[in-house]
Amino acid sequence: MLKIVLLGAPGSGKGTQSEKLVAEFGVPQISTGDLLRSAVANQTELGQKAKAAMDAGELVSDDIVVGMIRERLKQDDTENGFILDGFPRSLDQAKALDGLLDDMNRPLQGVVHIKVDNEEIVQRLMARGRSDDNEETIRNRLKVYQEQTQPLVKFYEDKGLLTAVAGVGEIDEIYARIKAALPAGAAFAGD
Ligand code: AP5
């Protein structure tokens, strides 16, 4: 069982580290960014609504992303837990998540905050080159993170759920730090 949020700025390595957790713990990664990109690629109505905000590095509206998460958490593969990557991203989203998980009687076990400084992030994302990885959009994503997502650090600290890890260095080293930061109730696939 693993029910966690990976919190961190754009480019902090949430997706990279989620893949390793998925392989080891056997629970799905739920990334609102991936779900939104797939909606944009499939030209769904939701994707068309989200595209302009994503291109500008702004947040997509809460009703869209909370609705996506509500539907995703109902799927059977989340029975043994989930890794939330890129959600929640605002206090309103975090409160909505609490409500959803309360209704399902599946409280969060913990939140791992992956910390990386902004200049390292800009370098990583410029090297990656996704469509929203141009310098102007990256800097706006970082500003939006600071203003709207950073307050979640205190929100989850106050609930006693947050552990911070340094997100720089080798990917495997960071993964070892994340595993050491996992909540006591985390269990490996098959346990
Ligand atoms: P989203 O897809 O969530 O993007 P993001 O938060 O900007 O995160 P990234 O995918 O860029 O970074 P990451 O932390 O996963 O790092 P990664 O492992 O990829 O969101 C995109 C957009 O969708 C948002 O701007 C917004 O518009 C919208 N959106 C999404 N969720 C939303 C929500 N909840 N509410 C509203 N709007 C929402 O690594 C990055 C790069 O670094 C990779 O190239 C990787 O290979 C490299 N790397 C990773 N680790 C290391 C390392 N240790 N050393 C060197 N390089 C590394």
Side-chain angles (χ1 to χ4, degrees):
M1 177 68 70
L2 185 68
K3 294 177 293 178
I4 61 165
V5 168
L6 286 188
L7 182 65
S12 56
K14 302 180 298 294
T16 304
Q17 298 295 334
S18 290
E19 270 180 39
K20 298 178 82 67
L21 289 164
V22 167
E24 187 160 342
F25 288 83
V27 296
Q29 168 202 19
I30 302 181
S31 155
T32 37
D34 288 348
L35 292 170
L36 288 165
R37 275 185 291 280
S38 144
V40 171
N42 292 321
Q43 299 186 326
T44 65
E45 195 186 331
L46 187 154
Q48 282 163 5
K49 282 189 191 155
K51 187 173 185 317
M54 294 175 77
D55 287 345
E58 296 290 331
L59 294 189
V60 173
S61 71
D62 286 346
D63 55 333
I64 290 183
V65 288
V66 171
M68 283 187 338
I69 289 287
R70 183 185 295 113
E71 291 310 307
R72 185 65 187 85
L73 286 174
K74 284 183 190 160
Q75 292 174 23
D76 291 346
D77 65 340
T78 67
E79 199 173 303
N80 290 322
F82 46 77
I83 299 152
L84 290 173
D85 159 6
F87 180 91
R89 252 172 150 99
S90 66
L91 279 174
D92 284 344
Q93 290 182 15
K95 289 175 191 162
L97 176 65
D98 276 354
L100 291 177
L101 295 176
D102 276 353
D103 290 347
M104 301 171 94
N105 202 14
R106 301 164 85 190
L108 269 185
Q109 292 171 314
V111 176
V112 179
H113 178 202
I114 306 177
K115 295 177 78 169
V116 180
D117 74 48
N118 282 2
E119 287 318 307
E120 161 96 13
I121 282 174
V122 174
Q123 282 182 14
R124 282 186 192 179
L125 295 184
M126 296 286 284
R128 180 174 65 179
R130 203 169 71 193
S131 67
D132 57 348
D133 287 340
N134 59 79
E135 186 160 0
E136 190 186 347
T137 305
I138 296 166
R139 297 229 179 251
N140 196 41
R141 282 155 66 197
L142 288 169
K143 179 167 166 275
V144 167
Y145 177 81
Q146 193 58 40
E147 291 170 357
Q148 303 196 48
T149 312
Q150 185 69 25
L152 297 187
V153 170
K154 180 162 188 325
F155 178 81
Y156 285 122
E157 255 170 13
D158 289 349
K159 288 176 177 283
L161 288 174
L162 192 101
T163 311
V165 301
V168 284
E170 294 297 322
I171 287 168
D172 285 343
E173 257 170 38
I174 299 165
Y175 185 59
R177 288 179 209 139
I178 291 176
K179 279 200 347 185
L182 290 180
F188 295 86
D191 284 3

